[in-house]
Amino acid sequence: MGRRQAREAAMKTLYQVDVGGIDPDMAIKNTAEIDAIAPDDLNFAKELVMGSMRHLREIDNTITALSRDWNIERLAKVDINIMRMANEAVELAKTYGSDDSGKFVNGILGKVTRKEIGGVDGEISGNSQIFEGRID
């Protein structure tokens, strides 16, 4: 398994946490057992998961601010968790999401990249560093 598969495992883990309410450590263990993740890749997947969990509120606030016509509760859980990781997001969205998921995720991440985050009443302005450490 390589970095891409580790990112995929991290996305699956975040999905379990989000949808199933499973503890992140238990979810990563479940994913590691099912996907037979190598130790180095497991460590990388854990870093992605725990980093996403540490910054969850900030990331979700950014997603909410940028998806102006979409309430975060209406977004597909796969899309939300892929954006939370922000690694190979568009490709993962195409693989695991709906037909439009790749375009949607790309649009949101494109806004972050262009630093167009205006936030709600400007509260998040310029906060593109939220995804730091999760973009290769």
Side-chain angles (χ1 to χ4, degrees):
M1 182 179 275
R3 291 281 180 148
R4 178 171 165 73
Q5 289 80 16
R7 290 180 184 106
E8 196 171 309
M11 187 274 301
K12 290 176 181 179
T13 299
L14 287 169
Y15 184 85
Q16 289 178 61
V17 171
D18 194 29
V19 174
I22 299 172
D23 175 73
D25 291 321
M26 181 59 76
I28 194 77
K29 182 180 177 194
N30 293 340
T31 303
E33 289 174 3
I34 292 168
D35 292 347
I37 301 173
D40 286 346
D41 296 328
L42 180 59
N43 288 335
F44 181 61
K46 283 181 184 177
E47 286 179 35
L48 292 173
V49 169
M50 295 311 182
S52 296
M53 296 302 296
R54 268 192 308 276
H55 298 284
L56 193 64
R57 180 172 289 159
E58 296 166 81
I59 294 167
D60 285 357
N61 286 342
T62 299
I63 292 169
T64 298
L66 293 175
S67 55
R68 299 178 205 281
D69 295 330
W70 290 85
N71 182 313
I72 198 163
E73 287 81 28
R74 286 186 54 213
L75 298 177
K77 297 297 184 187
V78 169
D79 296 350
I80 293 168
N81 286 296
I82 291 170
M83 286 186 283
R84 286 174 176 161
M85 285 186 357
N87 269 317
E88 295 189 6
V90 175
E91 290 307 312
L92 287 171
K94 289 177 185 175
T95 300
Y96 289 97
S98 68
D99 291 341
D100 295 326
S101 293
K103 292 176 186 175
F104 179 75
V105 171
N106 186 52
I108 296 295
L109 294 178
K111 288 180 181 181
V112 170
T113 301
R114 290 186 305 270
K115 296 181 182 180
E116 289 184 6
I117 303 172
V120 180
D121 298 326
E123 293 172 341
I124 307 173
S125 184
N127 199 2
S128 63
Q129 298 303 310
I130 287 171
F131 298 106
E132 185 177 314
R134 286 183 288 285
I135 298 176
D136 288 336

